[in-house]
Amino acid sequence: MKLSMLLWLTSLLPQPVADQACLATTVYLEARSEPTLGQLAVAEVAMRRRERGRWGDTVCKVVTAPHQFATTTTPGSFDITNLEAFNKAWQIAGRSIQNWQLPVAERKMLVPRADHFATVAITPTWSVNRAGTTIGEHRFYAVN
């Protein structure tokens, strides 16, 4: 399925399902080759951003905010073809959404306070002089 079609479909789905689809798409695009912990950490960043409300009040708005996640930097013509990886991303997304429905003190956090991440191959300007937590090929940062 084309990325553009999948994102368009989320506009037709009820919000809880749309949010899971948007989060799964983000996990797939950002971290499908990463270990489970890395995928959960990517989802955690998106969920934290949604909770803070600065990037949007739904997961879909957060992950489609301009230049924030791969959903907006990947061409719409990109084919999502690895169904096994997407299914895993779907499970990760559901698990993450359930985790964020818990009271704050009961949530399981991998990258506390992290609201940004980048591949370890680059050093974005916003990450300079900030400590980060590395999981797989991503480094997670608390920027805001």
Side-chain angles (χ1 to χ4, degrees):
M1 176 179 287
K2 300 273 186 219
L3 174 60
S4 59
M5 176 64 95
L6 180 56
L7 293 176
W8 174 78
L9 284 172
T10 65
S11 69
L12 303 176
L13 297 170
Q15 199 58 57
V17 179
D19 279 345
Q20 187 168 354
C22 286
L23 189 56
T25 302
T26 300
V27 169
Y28 178 88
L29 293 173
E30 298 280 7
R32 67 183 169 277
S33 63
E34 293 296 306
T36 299
L37 289 180
Q39 292 184 13
L40 285 165
V42 165
E44 183 178 319
V45 167
M47 294 303 295
R48 183 167 292 111
R49 284 182 172 208
R50 191 227 5 113
E51 183 173 74
R52 291 181 181 171
R54 180 175 173 191
W55 293 273
D57 60 353
T58 68
V59 175
C60 288
K61 287 180 183 174
V62 167
V63 301
T64 60
H67 310 291
Q68 297 300 307
F69 290 93
T71 52
T72 64
T73 60
T74 303
S77 60
F78 179 84
D79 277 316
I80 295 175
T81 57
N82 186 335
L83 297 182
E84 183 178 331
F86 191 84
N87 183 53
K88 182 178 180 186
W90 181 266
Q91 299 304 318
I92 295 285
R95 196 167 141 190
S96 296
I97 289 168
Q98 286 179 336
N99 185 47
W100 281 81
Q101 290 171 342
L102 297 171
V104 174
E106 295 176 30
R107 293 179 192 162
K108 294 178 184 143
M109 298 294 161
L110 295 169
V111 287
R113 296 178 307 283
D115 55 10
H116 284 68
F117 63 89
T119 176
V120 295
I122 64 169
T123 304
T125 55
W126 49 259
S127 70
V128 175
N129 297 322
R130 294 185 192 277
T133 301
T134 302
I135 301 175
E137 294 297 315
H138 289 99
R139 192 166 292 119
F140 298 84
Y141 303 89
V143 175
N144 297 297

